Amino acid sequence: MSDAAGRRLNPQDVAALRDSVYGPVLEPGADGYEAECATFNLVCPLRPAVVVGASSEQDVVAAVRFAARHGLPVAVKSAAHQVVSAAEGAVLITTGRMKGMSVDAQYGTVTVQAGVRWSEVLPRAAEAGLAPIVGSAPEVGVVGYTLGGGQSPLLGRTYGYAADHVRRLDVVTADGQLRRVTPQDEPDLYWALLGGKGNFGVVTEIEFDAFPVSRFYGGGIYFPGEHLEQVLNAWRAWLPTVGEDMTSSVAVQRLPDLPALPEPLRGAFVVHLRIGYLGTAADGERLVEPLRDAAPALLDLVGEKPFGAIGEIHLDPVDPMPYYDRSLGLREFSAKTAQAFLELTGPESGCTLVGVEIRALGGAFDREPEFPNSVPSRGLAYVAFASVVGTADQADELRGELTRVFDGLLPWADERNLVNFLSPDEATDAEGVRELYGAQRYERLAALKRTYDPGNVFRFNYNITPA
Ligand SMILES: Cc1cc2nc3c(=O)[nH]c(=O)nc-3n(C[C@H](O)[C@H](O)[C@H](O)COP(=O)(O)OP(=O)(O)OC[C@H]3O[C@@H](n4cnc5c(N)ncnc54)[C@H](O)[C@@H]3O)c2cc1C
């Protein structure tokens, strides 16, 4: 095994690490190393010096202490939906074996270990009549999602970010200490962890509030892409008329010809309108009517659904694939923005991106939570996100297309953005990370980074440099 500087690590040290943990310790070339390093985005491979497949918080402590003793950086992976660096030379801690979960129906809380995905929480929470603040893709990991804010396309405008409802985090900091972090006992570290995603330690367990929601009215309406202009106009006129219990987004999609997609969508150019409404189906029908009237639909999947079907709103891909992505916070989606969006992504644009979406935020996303955190996107009106499928040998061309579309939206850009929507490319832009948090928030984060991670052990992320 070699470290970041290419030095060989002492095999006895690695043997000692192996003896100190229950989970597997895998070096490059070992059976299981590739599988343990697997990522959702296939153009973002992980190549750490060693992987520790943590089976418990004690394993995480042992792995972080090992890294500290040998001056190695630490990377962490759960469900692998936002790997931003190959983490070469690092100790990679994978949390996929840490599947502990409990639901407290009386207090309305859920506690999960670091390897749990939302798809595993949904049925357990539903048994207690509860719903967590889950995002569009239930295969995403709970902890990474929550540390990056956690923007839900169904509960968010009513309850705010997932991070706003965290009661406790157990975290192993760079010094190898396991700390119990609550807003009462450790308000600074609590503030930094929730928003500062991955910069302050390895979270081993998290406890958060869930809400008494068991169903919703929603899903997606697909229109032929030629009707983008009418759909955008109808959506923009409609947005100010709906309350916080209605969440929506719109996406232009050039879909692949995959059997996983319903027949009319295979290989199709579509506008996908996404609806998540917490009121009754009858009210939902009435509210969605002006959108249905915008153009003839290709496929209308909006209806009454159990909460566990939240993934049907966006129908995000679930299988790993190679792609490049970009995101941008927008302060408005005015008539001029919509016109530019149409020209950049519409039928005449020549756009090759698989999806370009605009999510409307607002509502409770704008409100300060009871316990302050460092989520930087509060008050952001919209977020644009785009991805393009292709392999690393096409990187320049694919990035070029993303740049073309996002440069065209820059006149309406906001410096704020959702941490969870940042791409791997954005992780190498130190100035961009500073701007995203804003000077004041970044300086406080950097000061806390100096306290809890002065050596920047946790650096394979949207890095906050220790002050
Ligand atoms: C298809 C798709 C749909 C998505 N939809 C939404 C959405 O609707 N709303 C939203 O907010 N986000 C959304 N996201 C973003 C998603 O929330 C983030 O990518 C999230 O970080 C994924 O977590 P993971 O465990 O899957 O990823 P991983 O790649 O395993 O983790 C990502 C990062 O999270 C941090 N992290 C993970 N676990 C820990 C831990 N135990 N301790 C400390 N740090 C940790 C690390 O910095 C790590 O690099 C979506 C992503 C995809 C790919």
Side-chain angles (χ1 to χ4, degrees), residues 39-40 46 75-85 93 95 113-118 133-153 161-162 170-171 193 196-205 314 316-318 321 323 325 357 359 385 418-422 458 460-462:
T39 60
F40 180 73
L46 276 163
V76 55
K77 182 189 89 161
S78 174
H81 282 71
Q82 201 182 26
V83 172
V84 301
S85 155
I93 300 173
T95 61
Q113 280 190 314
V116 173
R117 296 172 189 246
W118 282 119
I133 301 191
V134 53
S136 64
E139 291 312 313
V140 153
V142 173
V143 171
Y145 166 92
T146 307
L147 297 183
Q151 185 269 343
S152 172
Y161 289 99
D170 291 350
V171 59
L193 278 164
K197 187 166 190 172
N199 266 288
F200 293 90
V202 185
V203 171
T204 58
E205 188 171 289
H314 282 239
D316 284 332
V318 288
M321 60 183 168
Y323 64 93
D325 59 334
E357 71 165 329
R359 292 192 187 189
F385 176 85
L418 302 179
V419 179
N420 276 350
F421 280 42
L422 298 176
F458 302 109
F460 301 108
N461 42 40
Y462 302 97

Side-chain angles (χ1 to χ4, degrees), residues 215-232:
R215 39 74 53 203
F216 70 98
Y217 177 82
I221 308 177
Y222 293 85
F223 300 93
E226 290 67 30
H227 295 300
L228 176 61
E229 186 172 7
Q230 293 91 311
V231 176
L232 286 180

